[in-house]
Amino acid sequence: MPNAVTHILVAILFIDLFRDYVVKKRAFPLYLVLIGGVAGLMPDIDILIIWLFDLNVHRLYTHSFMIPVLFLLVGLVAYRYRKMLGKLFFVVSAGWVTHILLDGLL
């Protein structure tokens, strides 16, 4: 399992590469890239539940692909009405998927 810094840096790297080479228009600002990096750490939020309630639920709910799919669907709906809010949900979904893939690969 990668360290927390690895989750943040790899998510930032992939989102920034997507921003620079796929979109090429700089369609979203750099602070969304940073938010995506922090979202790359969000699936490990269940560690707080372990500390607070002494329940072993790590990787039980937050490490499934349903949560980033939910963020993606909410982003698609939000993008229609408020483009920046939709982009925020897209970036959070990308960071979350990056975390799950890193945990699966390593």
Side-chain angles (χ1 to χ4, degrees):
M1 181 169 76
N3 293 333
V5 175
T6 307
H7 284 300
I8 293 171
L9 290 178
V10 170
I12 286 174
L13 177 72
F14 283 145
I15 293 169
D16 192 41
L17 287 174
F18 177 81
R19 176 180 174 258
D20 289 342
Y21 293 110
V22 176
V23 178
K24 292 185 184 175
K25 298 178 191 173
R26 303 221 177 227
F28 52 93
L30 275 175
Y31 69 86
L32 283 180
V33 176
L34 178 65
I35 290 172
V38 173
L41 193 60
M42 288 303 294
D44 284 338
I45 198 74
D46 55 3
I47 291 176
L48 288 176
I49 296 172
I50 294 171
W51 287 348
L52 293 175
F53 302 110
D54 198 29
L55 296 172
N56 192 9
V57 293
H58 185 58
R59 292 186 174 192
L60 189 61
Y61 300 111
T62 59
H63 282 72
S64 72
F65 280 108
M66 291 306 295
I67 295 175
V69 168
L70 181 68
F71 277 119
L72 185 65
L73 292 176
V74 170
L76 288 172
V77 172
Y79 188 77
R80 184 172 184 187
Y81 300 107
R82 297 193 58 183
K83 293 195 184 300
M84 195 52 99
L85 185 63
K87 291 176 186 179
L88 175 73
F89 280 108
F90 294 152
V91 168
V92 169
S93 176
W96 205 292
V97 167
T98 304
H99 180 103
I100 294 171
L101 291 176
L102 275 175
D103 277 357
L105 291 174
L106 301 174

